[in-house]
Amino acid sequence: MDKQEMHHTLMAAKARKGISWDTLGEAVGRSPVWVASACHGMNSAPYEAARRIAATLDLGDDVIAALEAFPTKTWDQAIPQDPLVYRLYEIVGVYGATLKDVIQEKFGDGIMSAIDFEMEVDRQPDPKGDRVVVTLSGKFLPYKSW
Amino acid sequence: MDKQEMHHTLMAAKARKGISWDTLGEAVGRSPVWVASACHGMNSAPYEAARRIAATLDLGDDVIAALEAFPTKTWDQAIPQDPLVYRLYEIVGVYGATLKDVIQEKFGDGIMSAIDFEMEVDRQPDPKGDRVVVTLSGKFLPYKSW
Amino acid sequence: MDKQEMHHTLMAAKARKGISWDTLGEAVGRSPVWVASACHGMNSAPYEAARRIAATLDLGDDVIAALEAFPTKTWDQAIPQDPLVYRLYEIVGVYGATLKDVIQEKFGDGIMSAIDFEMEVDRQPDPKGDRVVVTLSGKFLPYKSW
Amino acid sequence: MDKQEMHHTLMAAKARKGISWDTLGEAVGRSPVWVASACHGMNSAPYEAARRIAATLDLGDDVIAALEAFPTKTWDQAIPQDPLVYRLYEIVGVYGATLKDVIQEKFGDGIMSAIDFEMEVDRQPDPKGDRVVVTLSGKFLPYKSW
Amino acid sequence: MDKQEMHHTLMAAKARKGISWDTLGEAVGRSPVWVASACHGMNSAPYEAARRIAATLDLGDDVIAALEAFPTKTWDQAIPQDPLVYRLYEIVGVYGATLKDVIQEKFGDGIMSAIDFEMEVDRQPDPKGDRVVVTLSGKFLPYKSW
Amino acid sequence: MDKQEMHHTLMAAKARKGISWDTLGEAVGRSPVWVASACHGMNSAPYEAARRIAATLDLGDDVIAALEAFPTKTWDQAIPQDPLVYRLYEIVGVYGATLKDVIQEKFGDGIMSAIDFEMEVDRQPDPKGDRVVVTLSGKFLPYKSW
Amino acid sequence: MDKQEMHHTLMAAKARKGISWDTLGEAVGRSPVWVASACHGMNSAPYEAARRIAATLDLGDDVIAALEAFPTKTWDQAIPQDPLVYRLYEIVGVYGATLKDVIQEKFGDGIMSAIDFEMEVDRQPDPKGDRVVVTLSGKFLPYKSW
Amino acid sequence: MDKQEMHHTLMAAKARKGISWDTLGEAVGRSPVWVASACHGMNSAPYEAARRIAATLDLGDDVIAALEAFPTKTWDQAIPQDPLVYRLYEIVGVYGATLKDVIQEKFGDGIMSAIDFEMEVDRQPDPKGDRVVVTLSGKFLPYKSW
Amino acid sequence: MDKQEMHHTLMAAKARKGISWDTLGEAVGRSPVWVASACHGMNSAPYEAARRIAATLDLGDDVIAALEAFPTKTWDQAIPQDPLVYRLYEIVGVYGATLKDVIQEKFGDGIMSAIDFEMEVDRQPDPKGDRVVVTLSGKFLPYKSW
Amino acid sequence: MDKQEMHHTLMAAKARKGISWDTLGEAVGRSPVWVASACHGMNSAPYEAARRIAATLDLGDDVIAALEAFPTKTWDQAIPQDPLVYRLYEIVGVYGATLKDVIQEKFGDGIMSAIDFEMEVDRQPDPKGDRVVVTLSGKFLPYKSW
């Protein structure tokens, strides 16, 4: 079972059972965003997490194995088109140089890791319309000189 | 004075005075990230904010006018190359579909606005290496049917 | 049933029944353009609208479910080739900077939303040749400073 | 004087005089959008219109000649980046196939002309936030068979 | 039957019957280039023309219906590779600005329509090698001011 | 004097003298399209033609030398944007496969040369709107087998 | 049988019989490079050559017909990746302007035809390592003025 | 003096002196193609060759030093547009897979070097029109296994 | 059996047997990186190596033949997306000009061969986190002058 | 002084003094590759290193400040063209999937850092031609789950 088939199997089971990412995350003892990324085939799951995801969704060993496999992480569109994803791309475009400047002033020459990295999504109630809050947290990696 | 000349003038004055984005943000009474984006020419500043930025950096009316001007927001590289900015692009690529799924499950069919939007950068101390925390907050906009 | 299969099923039923978008829009109590966009898989339909579309075209529950699903909105060609669609792209290219200037002078720094958005198509009789009138209406969103 | 220099000259004079596109359109007896497009160098102005634009802005014969010149209409970005313009591009992407379907059902096989074409921008007050209304009107051109 | 299947069916029947585009054009009472473009799926045929094409090639009602359908006109390669087609592209590249200049001097600011358009291909005998003569005829469309 | 400077010099002189391409072509004893292409820097002119172009426009030896130079023929936009030129590109896209089919049926496997090539532009009066007629004539070159 | 199926059939038969391009060329009475290009589907073969290729490889009439068909010549990668083919592309990039200069100095303004064209591949023994010798021969085509 | 300035200096001197690449090659004791490539800035010249090129063209030490410098070999257009250079690109596209097949059958798995490489251009008289003959010679490099 | 099927067959057998690249390399008497590249279809294996790979994995003659075949070496993404591969691409981008400078200062004008080339991957223990060490070794090829 | 001017200043001084990267590296007490990358503007130098580089090359404080500045790391060509750099790109293309497989088998799911990274270039004498040895060393970063 490759990652794509795994993804379709997981999404179908999740819909059939009516389980949300929050519930699944709780069942696994992990963040819902990370669980979702593993189910989308964009992160490999350690065995215990894979086992719990499969158990919660009544799926078998082939799904566990597919969840454990190391993914090749690629995406279809260099410039994303779906409006939700494009807005994130636009934020990188509009604020990229600003973020580089602010982060490097605070931390020195280096980057925020996208590997030693985690992310959460929250709903923040607001009378003028609720807000989506996305929190990115990555280890600062200083450039090495040698 | 166009936005590019304004940017160079502001960066030179900021370096000369040794003022950080945090300090400048405080002086203006605004978030350091927003102040930086205005100084990078990627947001227009309301008059009062523009006046305070210029005052703090001992700059004149032409800088104020340039800060108030409505920018044309463009960026040079459709796929960014600088490693700090690329990592943000990579996060959008790797986690884009995951974020769409998690956000739309929580909020319904719609997007996180990149216009009614704000963002902060924080340093989170960590014994294994401090972490960069970037918080995005955008109003949820549901798709309209008509 | 995914959006593509749904689209083909809907188009075939519509052709078989000889129902126009105007008639279908009336039956659903919605704009024909929005109904068409939902049938093209580019908008999700609320349950009641989906039910009426399916009922009018004698289609079943799987079509209703597919109409309700949240779409991933993508298109095949970054620069469209079909002459009808290309002319719209050309209008954006030729008049984009003009529209930005006129809109932002009238409304301030911000954008016309493509999410809180609606659109109509009308036929305007004209002795020199009838005219296509496309009306776009989007909420003005001012940039936030923070 | 080429179109670019003409554009900068016109924009500077317009700002100096504090004249809006609406006022300029009225003074010329034309639509503000068309006047703006001519001042942006994307349409040639007939002599009388060019003369009135220059007169209203106290500019000379070289500007009149530049306004009359036939422009080469090009734009910098195949996929626009500024958010206001990108939203228009996104509308073409998301609704292009829908518009083709709706227009050709109403008019037959053909296109909406982008040459025998006009466009207006209006502000529609709305308690939930004012709306930008853009109206496109192009002559329908049927494909010829021969 | 979609346009692609229609195209293959028509080409196979044409080869089987050994009928040239000239003969088919004559049988239909239309230009061979237009008939070929309809059979290639790049133009919709009015019913009578579609009926005659099908009759001449002993094909049925599904082909007639497919010939009548309004095509989505797209092509595979933004820069064509087949040498015959590339030479046409090269002519547009090398002579594009020249043609714009010559046509607009003769007709005023506007374009040659590619919709109200027809085209012929002829063989011109020449002792130094016969020549291909392609004649394009499109209605001149002046830009509108409004 | 390089081709670009030559082009600007020639266009300025032509405008100053109020000479059309037709008149210039007549003075040189050549087709106006070819003369225009040489003045646009896209063809080298034989000495006698170069001399007459310069003489008609009261220009000197440096212009003659520049007209004689062998050009490097390039264009700015792989997909042209100006509407007049784009329509020609669109014709190649829409009718490319059709033209290949019709030409190769008539002539055998080979191409229409874009080097041993000439082109004319004519105005054809028409009560429904005058037509632009562009005639391309290129030597047929059969593929060689060896 | 289309060109792709023909190609696979021919390659399989050639491997099965253990016949080299040199041997096949000799059997056909043609250059091995041309025979290979026809078998790769990039040139049409005259009947007699097609018949001999098929006979030598014990293949039937459908292969003969496919070899005779006029190919649409396209390639997958605008910038080739396979190292052997990339090196040829690199030679065009590095030496393109040099070749244009040397050829046009020797022949006048014009090009080397890629249609009236032939090519050979030879092995030249060399103590420091044998050399691949590729010889291109194309008719010089002078630009026409008209 | 960088390579670009060197190139212009050399071309101007060569034109002034009326010296052909053949003559220059003879004076230097090298192939005219190699000498041209060095003068185009696409190869570094050993001191003695550089000295002779400069001497023949009455140029000084700065030109010698620039000829000796190691070039960064780049070209402007990934897909060349000038017809002479495009034809070479087209040959790589049309015949690339054929050449790979023929060369690797003759030599084994490996490539023709573009570094240990030389090239000549000759004129071959032909009653049907003289031919350009380009001869490429590169060392065969077998892939290493390890 | 083509290279893709061969690759899947080899990977499945390797997983089933639980054999690492190191073990397989040892069994074949070759570097694990080279063995992996052959199994990924990116290098042809000499018969003896192919035989041993197949034997170790209990696979048959069709796999041996597929391993011996000369591959067409292509990759899917001009700019790789998987983070592990992208980092290598980034290193080429960031350090490309530096490497050219350092290598050519040490060796003269020329390149490091990617054909007469080998590569190893090692794990270097490090208290701050183990390091991946990749060693590239390619023959230096000096540019030829002729 | 920006990074580009700094680079030209450093290269000119280095040439004038006839100092190699090895010598400069020794004077600074750092790797010659890292020193070169800092002088190419692709790494920021800590103050002490910057001071020694400037001192060795007799350059002033503005060069020191420019060496210390945090660079924006970009490169001109997404697919490099200079043959030395292209070969590195080709190695990433040909061996990218192989390296991912070998590294992740050895280390688990993760990447080789390009930030906590160092690189050396060595000359390895070889009777069949000396070899360029490039050694990359990057910290292994495991993907985090959360």
Side-chain angles (χ1 to χ4, degrees):
Chain A
M1 183 181 275
D2 66 11
K3 291 279 182 190
Q4 198 173 1
E5 193 190 342
M6 175 201 85
H7 173 55
H8 291 306
T9 304
L10 284 160
M11 296 308 280
K14 178 171 172 293
R16 210 166 42 234
K17 298 220 147 218
I19 291 178
S20 70
W21 292 116
D22 279 352
T23 308
L24 193 56
E26 229 168 294
V28 178
R30 301 259 178 171
S31 154
V33 174
W34 178 81
V35 171
S37 79
C39 293
H40 275 265
M42 285 308 236
N43 268 316
S44 62
Y47 173 71
E48 187 51 28
R51 198 191 56 74
R52 288 195 197 179
I53 291 170
T56 311
L57 297 171
D58 282 339
L59 295 170
D61 285 358
D62 50 347
V63 168
I64 296 176
L67 281 163
E68 286 183 279
F70 299 171
T72 293
K73 304 182 175 186
T74 62
W75 47 95
D76 285 347
Q77 302 177 308
I79 299 176
Q81 293 177 325
D82 182 82
L84 187 141
V85 186
Y86 182 81
R87 296 307 179 273
L88 299 169
Y89 170 82
E90 188 179 279
I91 289 166
V92 174
V94 171
Y95 293 100
T98 296
L99 286 171
K100 177 178 166 69
D101 192 341
V102 171
I103 292 172
Q104 295 188 337
E105 188 183 272
K106 228 187 232 338
F107 289 84
D109 197 10
I111 67 160
M112 178 182 82
S113 180
I115 306 298
D116 188 335
F117 172 79
E118 58 188 72
M119 177 163 46
E120 301 301 341
V121 171
D122 294 295
R123 182 177 193 124
Q124 182 186 294
D126 190 305
K128 282 178 292 183
D130 287 4
R131 297 183 79 76
V132 183
V133 177
V134 180
T135 314
L136 318 174
S137 163
K139 189 178 173 184
F140 179 72
L141 304 179
Y143 283 110
K144 185 172 188 177
S145 63
W146 70 93
Chain B
M1 183 182 275
D2 66 11
K3 291 278 181 190
Q4 197 174 2
E5 192 189 342
M6 174 201 86
H7 173 55
H8 290 308
T9 305
L10 283 161
M11 297 308 281
K14 178 172 172 293
R16 208 165 44 234
K17 298 219 147 219
I19 291 178
S20 71
W21 292 117
D22 279 350
T23 308
L24 192 57
E26 230 169 293
V28 179
R30 302 258 178 171
S31 155
V33 175
W34 179 81
V35 171
S37 77
C39 293
H40 275 264
M42 284 307 235
N43 268 317
S44 63
Y47 173 72
E48 187 52 28
R51 199 192 55 74
R52 290 195 197 179
I53 293 170
T56 311
L57 298 171
D58 281 340
L59 296 169
D61 285 357
D62 50 347
V63 168
I64 296 176
L67 280 164
E68 287 183 276
F70 299 170
T72 293
K73 304 182 174 186
T74 61
W75 46 97
D76 285 348
Q77 301 176 310
I79 300 176
Q81 292 178 327
D82 183 82
L84 187 141
V85 186
Y86 182 82
R87 296 307 180 271
L88 299 169
Y89 170 82
E90 188 178 279
I91 288 166
V92 174
V94 171
Y95 293 100
T98 295
L99 286 171
K100 177 178 166 69
D101 193 341
V102 170
I103 291 171
Q104 294 189 334
E105 187 183 271
K106 230 189 229 343
F107 289 83
D109 197 11
I111 68 160
M112 178 182 84
S113 181
I115 306 299
D116 187 336
F117 171 80
E118 57 188 72
M119 178 165 46
E120 302 300 341
V121 171
D122 295 293
R123 183 177 192 125
Q124 182 187 293
D126 189 305
K128 283 177 292 185
D130 287 4
R131 297 183 78 76
V132 183
V133 178
V134 179
T135 313
L136 318 174
S137 164
K139 188 178 173 182
F140 178 72
L141 304 179
Y143 282 110
K144 186 174 187 174
S145 63
W146 70 93
Chain C
M1 184 182 274
D2 67 11
K3 290 279 182 190
Q4 197 173 2
E5 193 191 341
M6 175 201 84
H7 173 55
H8 291 307
T9 305
L10 284 161
M11 296 309 279
K14 178 170 171 295
R16 210 165 43 234
K17 299 218 148 220
I19 290 178
S20 70
W21 292 116
D22 279 352
T23 307
L24 193 55
E26 231 169 291
V28 177
R30 301 258 179 172
S31 154
V33 175
W34 178 80
V35 171
S37 78
C39 293
H40 275 265
M42 285 306 236
N43 268 317
S44 63
Y47 173 71
E48 187 51 27
R51 198 192 55 75
R52 290 195 195 178
I53 292 170
T56 310
L57 297 172
D58 283 339
L59 295 169
D61 284 359
D62 51 346
V63 168
I64 296 176
L67 281 163
E68 287 184 279
F70 299 171
T72 294
K73 304 182 175 188
T74 61
W75 47 95
D76 286 347
Q77 301 177 309
I79 299 176
Q81 293 177 326
D82 182 82
L84 187 142
V85 186
Y86 182 81
R87 296 309 179 271
L88 299 169
Y89 171 82
E90 188 178 279
I91 289 166
V92 174
V94 170
Y95 293 100
T98 295
L99 286 171
K100 178 178 166 68
D101 192 339
V102 170
I103 291 172
Q104 294 187 336
E105 188 184 270
K106 230 188 231 336
F107 289 83
D109 197 11
I111 68 159
M112 178 182 83
S113 180
I115 307 299
D116 188 336
F117 172 78
E118 58 187 72
M119 178 166 44
E120 303 299 342
V121 171
D122 294 295
R123 181 177 193 124
Q124 182 186 295
D126 190 306
K128 283 178 293 184
D130 287 5
R131 297 182 78 77
V132 184
V133 178
V134 180
T135 314
L136 318 174
S137 164
K139 190 178 173 184
F140 178 73
L141 305 179
Y143 283 110
K144 186 172 188 177
S145 63
W146 70 94
Chain D
M1 183 182 274
D2 67 11
K3 291 278 180 189
Q4 197 173 3
E5 192 190 343
M6 175 200 84
H7 173 56
H8 291 307
T9 305
L10 284 160
M11 296 309 280
K14 179 172 172 291
R16 209 164 46 233
K17 299 219 147 218
I19 290 179
S20 71
W21 291 117
D22 280 350
T23 308
L24 192 57
E26 228 168 295
V28 178
R30 302 258 178 173
S31 154
V33 175
W34 179 81
V35 171
S37 77
C39 293
H40 275 265
M42 284 307 235
N43 268 317
S44 63
Y47 173 71
E48 187 52 28
R51 199 192 55 75
R52 291 194 196 178
I53 293 170
T56 310
L57 297 171
D58 282 340
L59 296 168
D61 285 357
D62 51 347
V63 168
I64 296 175
L67 280 164
E68 287 184 277
F70 299 170
T72 293
K73 303 181 175 187
T74 61
W75 46 97
D76 285 348
Q77 300 176 311
I79 299 176
Q81 292 177 327
D82 182 82
L84 187 141
V85 186
Y86 181 81
R87 296 307 179 271
L88 299 169
Y89 171 81
E90 188 178 278
I91 288 166
V92 174
V94 171
Y95 293 100
T98 294
L99 286 170
K100 178 179 166 67
D101 193 341
V102 170
I103 291 172
Q104 294 188 336
E105 187 183 271
K106 232 191 231 335
F107 289 83
D109 197 11
I111 67 159
M112 179 181 84
S113 180
I115 306 298
D116 188 335
F117 171 79
E118 57 186 73
M119 179 165 45
E120 302 300 342
V121 171
D122 295 295
R123 182 177 193 125
Q124 182 186 293
D126 190 305
K128 284 178 290 185
D130 287 4
R131 298 183 79 77
V132 183
V133 178
V134 179
T135 313
L136 317 174
S137 164
K139 188 179 173 183
F140 179 72
L141 305 179
Y143 282 110
K144 187 173 186 176
S145 63
W146 70 92
Chain E
M1 183 183 274
D2 67 10
K3 290 281 183 189
Q4 197 174 1
E5 193 191 341
M6 176 200 83
H7 173 55
H8 291 307
T9 305
L10 284 160
M11 297 309 280
K14 179 172 172 293
R16 211 166 41 234
K17 298 219 148 218
I19 290 179
S20 71
W21 292 115
D22 279 352
T23 307
L24 192 56
E26 231 169 292
V28 178
R30 302 257 178 173
S31 155
V33 174
W34 179 82
V35 171
S37 78
C39 292
H40 274 265
M42 284 308 234
N43 268 316
S44 62
Y47 174 70
E48 186 51 28
R51 198 191 56 74
R52 290 195 196 178
I53 292 170
T56 310
L57 297 172
D58 282 340
L59 295 169
D61 284 359
D62 51 345
V63 167
I64 296 176
L67 281 163
E68 287 184 278
F70 300 170
T72 294
K73 303 182 175 187
T74 61
W75 46 95
D76 286 347
Q77 301 176 309
I79 299 175
Q81 292 177 326
D82 182 82
L84 186 142
V85 187
Y86 182 81
R87 296 308 179 271
L88 299 169
Y89 171 82
E90 188 178 280
I91 288 166
V92 174
V94 170
Y95 293 100
T98 295
L99 285 171
K100 177 178 166 70
D101 192 340
V102 170
I103 291 172
Q104 294 188 336
E105 188 183 89
K106 229 189 231 337
F107 289 83
D109 197 10
I111 68 160
M112 178 182 82
S113 180
I115 307 298
D116 188 335
F117 172 78
E118 57 187 71
M119 177 164 45
E120 302 301 340
V121 171
D122 294 294
R123 182 177 194 123
Q124 182 186 293
D126 189 306
K128 282 179 292 184
D130 287 4
R131 297 183 79 78
V132 184
V133 178
V134 180
T135 314
L136 318 174
S137 164
K139 189 178 173 185
F140 178 73
L141 304 179
Y143 283 110
K144 186 172 187 176
S145 64
W146 69 93
Chain F
M1 183 182 275
D2 66 12
K3 290 278 181 190
Q4 197 173 2
E5 193 190 343
M6 175 201 84
H7 173 56
H8 290 307
T9 305
L10 284 160
M11 296 308 281
K14 178 172 172 293
R16 209 164 46 233
K17 299 220 147 218
I19 290 179
S20 70
W21 292 116
D22 279 351
T23 308
L24 192 57
E26 229 167 294
V28 178
R30 301 258 179 173
S31 155
V33 175
W34 179 81
V35 170
S37 77
C39 293
H40 274 264
M42 284 308 235
N43 269 316
S44 63
Y47 173 70
E48 186 53 27
R51 199 192 54 74
R52 290 195 196 179
I53 292 170
T56 311
L57 298 171
D58 282 340
L59 296 168
D61 285 357
D62 50 347
V63 168
I64 296 176
L67 281 163
E68 287 183 277
F70 298 170
T72 293
K73 304 182 175 187
T74 61
W75 46 97
D76 286 347
Q77 301 176 310
I79 299 176
Q81 293 177 326
D82 182 83
L84 187 141
V85 186
Y86 182 81
R87 296 307 179 271
L88 299 169
Y89 171 80
E90 188 179 278
I91 289 166
V92 174
V94 171
Y95 293 100
T98 295
L99 286 171
K100 178 178 166 67
D101 193 340
V102 170
I103 292 172
Q104 294 188 335
E105 188 184 89
K106 231 189 229 340
F107 289 83
D109 198 11
I111 67 159
M112 179 182 83
S113 180
I115 307 299
D116 188 334
F117 171 78
E118 58 187 71
M119 178 165 45
E120 302 300 341
V121 171
D122 295 294
R123 183 178 193 123
Q124 181 187 295
D126 190 305
K128 283 178 291 184
D130 287 5
R131 298 183 78 77
V132 183
V133 178
V134 179
T135 312
L136 318 173
S137 164
K139 188 178 173 182
F140 179 74
L141 305 179
Y143 282 110
K144 185 173 187 174
S145 63
W146 69 92
Chain G
M1 184 181 274
D2 67 10
K3 291 280 183 189
Q4 197 173 1
E5 193 191 342
M6 175 201 84
H7 173 55
H8 291 307
T9 305
L10 283 161
M11 297 308 280
K14 178 172 172 293
R16 211 166 41 235
K17 298 219 147 219
I19 291 177
S20 71
W21 292 116
D22 279 352
T23 308
L24 192 56
E26 230 169 292
V28 178
R30 302 259 178 172
S31 155
V33 175
W34 179 80
V35 171
S37 78
C39 293
H40 274 264
M42 284 308 235
N43 269 317
S44 63
Y47 173 72
E48 188 50 29
R51 199 191 56 74
R52 288 196 197 178
I53 292 170
T56 311
L57 297 172
D58 282 340
L59 295 169
D61 285 357
D62 50 347
V63 168
I64 296 175
L67 281 163
E68 287 183 279
F70 299 171
T72 294
K73 304 182 175 186
T74 61
W75 47 95
D76 285 347
Q77 301 178 309
I79 299 175
Q81 293 178 326
D82 182 82
L84 186 141
V85 186
Y86 182 81
R87 295 308 179 272
L88 299 169
Y89 170 82
E90 188 178 279
I91 289 165
V92 174
V94 171
Y95 294 99
T98 296
L99 286 171
K100 177 179 166 69
D101 192 340
V102 170
I103 291 172
Q104 294 189 336
E105 188 183 271
K106 230 188 233 332
F107 289 83
D109 197 10
I111 67 161
M112 178 182 83
S113 180
I115 307 297
D116 187 336
F117 172 79
E118 58 187 73
M119 178 164 46
E120 302 300 340
V121 171
D122 294 294
R123 183 178 193 121
Q124 182 187 291
D126 189 305
K128 282 179 292 185
D130 287 3
R131 298 182 79 77
V132 184
V133 178
V134 180
T135 314
L136 317 173
S137 163
K139 188 178 173 185
F140 178 73
L141 304 180
Y143 283 110
K144 185 172 187 177
S145 63
W146 70 93
Chain H
M1 182 181 276
D2 66 12
K3 289 278 181 191
Q4 196 172 2
E5 193 189 343
M6 174 201 85
H7 173 56
H8 291 306
T9 305
L10 283 160
M11 296 308 281
K14 178 172 171 294
R16 208 166 44 234
K17 298 218 148 220
I19 290 178
S20 70
W21 293 117
D22 279 351
T23 308
L24 192 58
E26 230 168 292
V28 178
R30 301 258 178 173
S31 155
V33 175
W34 179 80
V35 171
S37 78
C39 292
H40 275 264
M42 285 307 236
N43 268 317
S44 63
Y47 173 71
E48 186 53 28
R51 199 191 55 73
R52 290 196 195 177
I53 292 170
T56 310
L57 297 171
D58 281 339
L59 296 169
D61 284 358
D62 50 348
V63 168
I64 295 175
L67 280 164
E68 286 183 278
F70 299 170
T72 293
K73 304 182 175 188
T74 61
W75 47 97
D76 285 347
Q77 301 177 309
I79 299 176
Q81 292 178 326
D82 183 82
L84 187 141
V85 187
Y86 182 81
R87 296 308 179 270
L88 299 169
Y89 171 81
E90 188 178 278
I91 289 165
V92 174
V94 171
Y95 293 100
T98 295
L99 286 171
K100 177 178 166 69
D101 192 341
V102 170
I103 291 172
Q104 294 187 336
E105 188 183 90
K106 231 190 230 337
F107 289 83
D109 198 12
I111 68 160
M112 178 182 84
S113 180
I115 306 299
D116 188 334
F117 172 79
E118 58 188 70
M119 179 164 45
E120 302 300 342
V121 171
D122 294 294
R123 183 178 192 124
Q124 182 187 294
D126 190 305
K128 282 179 291 186
D130 286 6
R131 298 184 78 78
V132 183
V133 178
V134 179
T135 312
L136 319 173
S137 163
K139 188 178 173 183
F140 179 73
L141 305 179
Y143 282 110
K144 185 172 187 174
S145 63
W146 69 93
Chain I
M1 182 181 275
D2 66 11
K3 290 280 181 189
Q4 198 173 1
E5 193 190 342
M6 175 201 85
H7 173 55
H8 291 307
T9 304
L10 284 160
M11 296 308 280
K14 178 172 172 293
R16 210 166 43 234
K17 298 220 147 218
I19 291 178
S20 70
W21 292 117
D22 279 352
T23 309
L24 192 57
E26 229 168 293
V28 179
R30 302 259 178 171
S31 155
V33 175
W34 179 81
V35 171
S37 78
C39 293
H40 274 264
M42 285 308 236
N43 268 317
S44 63
Y47 173 73
E48 187 52 27
R51 199 191 56 73
R52 288 196 196 178
I53 293 170
T56 311
L57 297 171
D58 282 339
L59 295 169
D61 284 357
D62 50 348
V63 168
I64 296 176
L67 281 163
E68 288 183 277
F70 299 170
T72 293
K73 304 182 174 187
T74 61
W75 47 95
D76 285 347
Q77 302 178 308
I79 299 175
Q81 293 178 325
D82 182 83
L84 186 140
V85 186
Y86 182 81
R87 296 306 179 272
L88 299 169
Y89 170 83
E90 189 177 279
I91 288 165
V92 174
V94 171
Y95 293 99
T98 295
L99 286 171
K100 177 178 167 69
D101 192 340
V102 171
I103 292 172
Q104 294 188 336
E105 187 183 271
K106 230 188 232 334
F107 290 83
D109 197 10
I111 67 161
M112 178 182 83
S113 180
I115 307 297
D116 188 335
F117 172 80
E118 58 187 72
M119 177 164 47
E120 302 300 340
V121 171
D122 294 294
R123 181 177 194 124
Q124 182 187 294
D126 190 304
K128 282 179 292 184
D130 288 4
R131 297 183 79 77
V132 184
V133 178
V134 180
T135 314
L136 318 174
S137 164
K139 188 176 173 185
F140 179 73
L141 304 179
Y143 283 111
K144 184 171 187 176
S145 63
W146 70 93
Chain J
M1 183 182 275
D2 66 12
K3 289 279 181 190
Q4 197 173 1
E5 192 189 342
M6 173 201 85
H7 173 55
H8 290 307
T9 305
L10 284 160
M11 296 309 281
K14 178 172 172 294
R16 208 166 44 234
K17 298 218 148 220
I19 290 178
S20 71
W21 293 116
D22 279 351
T23 309
L24 192 58
E26 229 168 293
V28 179
R30 301 259 179 171
S31 155
V33 174
W34 179 81
V35 171
S37 78
C39 293
H40 275 264
M42 285 307 235
N43 268 317
S44 62
Y47 173 72
E48 187 52 28
R51 199 192 55 73
R52 289 196 196 178
I53 292 169
T56 310
L57 297 171
D58 282 339
L59 295 169
D61 285 357
D62 49 348
V63 168
I64 296 176
L67 280 164
E68 287 184 278
F70 299 171
T72 293
K73 303 182 176 186
T74 62
W75 46 97
D76 286 347
Q77 300 177 310
I79 300 175
Q81 292 177 326
D82 182 82
L84 187 141
V85 186
Y86 182 82
R87 296 307 180 271
L88 299 169
Y89 170 81
E90 188 178 278
I91 288 165
V92 174
V94 171
Y95 293 100
T98 295
L99 286 170
K100 176 178 167 69
D101 193 341
V102 170
I103 291 172
Q104 295 189 335
E105 188 183 270
K106 230 189 229 341
F107 289 83
D109 197 11
I111 67 159
M112 178 181 85
S113 181
I115 307 299
D116 187 335
F117 172 80
E118 58 187 73
M119 179 165 45
E120 302 300 342
V121 171
D122 294 294
R123 182 177 194 125
Q124 183 187 292
D126 190 305
K128 283 178 291 186
D130 287 5
R131 299 183 78 77
V132 183
V133 178
V134 180
T135 313
L136 318 174
S137 164
K139 188 178 173 183
F140 178 74
L141 305 179
Y143 282 110
K144 186 173 186 175
S145 62
W146 70 93

